[in-house]
Amino acid sequence: MLLDLEPDGDALFLDFDGTLVEIAPRPDDIVVPRHLPALIDRLSARLGGALAVVSGRAVHALDSYLSPARFAASGLHGMENRWNTGDPVIRVQPPESLESVRASLVGSGIADERVRVEDKGLSIAIHYRAAPERGEDIIALVHDLAAPYADLSVLAGKMVVEVKPSGYSKATAVEDGMRQSPFSGRRPVFIGDDVTDEDGMRAATALGGYGVKVGEGPSLAEKRIGSVRHVLDWLDRQSKGH
Ligand SMILES: [Mg+2]
């Protein structure tokens, strides 16, 4: 059973896909629950603005999915941050090596109707949910292409592999956010479903908070919640204070 949030004491970091919305066969096919934007607004207000959506997606994509809600966000695994709702998004500079890998990926011919190469600008994600049997080869290829560059790292998630600048993760997102108002001085609570969320949970735990794992599978999280549906119900109760 999850604890109730402390409106004046807790800061909430929420993964998006698989936590706030059900995972879809293709990332563009997700369906955002109709009540979610209002729920985010209400809960963010209750937490004094200390609610951030922390995703591998770009912040502008999160904004468009959750419009008209206003919220703090970290996108592209910690490479884009906006810790106050009215502020502009702060982005890191992409290394030149990413350009080389981008060209090699395009030249490799791995993209087809079932495998999608998504260029996020600061990172490149290859989605193979529709062709799971090709996952092993795709991950190996991405590792090979990124291997020569110390300033790039490879991140494998659920049916997606991503190449991105080294040194950024959901852990750095949480650490960065927790240094800033309105998050600083609060207890970080990180809710997520995937391997990349473990970094965020580890950082939240190190900063005196805890992680919540959505669904099955190994996790360092102190607490568990069953599904997206359960997350939304719990968040809704927290937003109303009962
Ligand atoms: Mg997720």
Side-chain angles (χ1 to χ4, degrees):
M1 194 62 198
L2 276 190
L3 302 172
D4 283 332
L5 289 174
E6 204 54 67
D8 299 320
D10 287 339
L12 192 55
F13 295 88
L14 298 166
D15 171 48
F16 185 64
D17 296 79
T19 297
L20 295 178
V21 300
E22 299 286 355
I23 289 179
R26 284 175 306 183
D28 295 344
D29 294 343
I30 56 161
V31 177
V32 177
R34 204 156 10 145
H35 70 294
L36 184 57
L39 166 55
I40 295 281
D41 266 339
R42 208 162 55 233
L43 187 53
S44 175
R46 189 166 163 77
L47 292 167
L51 176 156
V53 180
V54 181
S55 176
R57 293 187 189 259
V59 172
H60 74 81
L62 299 173
D63 280 340
S64 67
Y65 280 122
L66 293 171
S67 172
R70 288 161 56 84
F71 50 94
S74 176
L76 305 178
H77 301 288
M79 291 190 291
E80 298 187 327
N81 296 303
R82 175 185 67 207
W83 298 115
N84 277 282
T85 53
D87 287 355
V89 176
I90 309 291
R91 286 185 187 82
V92 305
Q93 282 295 320
E96 284 174 20
S97 51
L98 191 64
E99 193 50 53
S100 311
V101 171
R102 180 182 291 116
S104 302
L105 272 174
V106 169
S108 73
I110 57 165
D112 60 21
E113 66 277 4
R114 294 191 305 151
V115 175
R116 183 165 155 251
V117 176
E118 180 190 8
D119 190 346
K120 302 183 186 180
L122 283 171
S123 73
I124 306 162
I126 298 95
H127 300 271
Y128 56 90
R129 184 165 293 273
E133 76 286 356
R134 288 176 56 192
E136 211 172 303
D137 289 346
I138 289 169
I139 292 170
L141 171 70
V142 173
H143 272 288
D144 283 350
L145 293 178
Y149 307 109
D151 55 1
L152 295 180
S153 61
V154 176
L155 201 60
K158 287 181 181 170
M159 302 294 174
V160 58
V161 58
E162 188 154 359
V163 55
K164 54 185 270 302
S166 307
Y168 301 92
S169 67
K170 290 189 178 183
T172 64
V174 170
E175 289 158 3
D176 190 45
M178 289 303 294
R179 282 193 286 268
Q180 320 218 14
S181 175
F183 293 84
S184 60
R186 289 173 174 256
R187 176 178 64 167
V189 177
F190 192 107
I191 308 182
D193 71 306
D194 204 350
V195 272
T196 60
D197 297 312
E198 297 291 312
D199 296 326
M201 294 178 198
R202 188 176 299 111
T205 305
L207 290 165
Y210 59 93
V212 180
K213 164 84 172 177
V214 184
E216 304 290 311
S219 175
L220 59 81
E222 189 179 310
K223 301 189 183 298
R224 297 237 176 201
I225 191 163
S227 66
V228 170
R229 167 81 191 283
H230 290 95
V231 172
L232 296 179
D233 286 350
W234 181 77
L235 292 175
D236 190 58
R237 286 199 303 279
Q238 301 310 307
S239 75
K240 292 167 178 164
H242 57 79

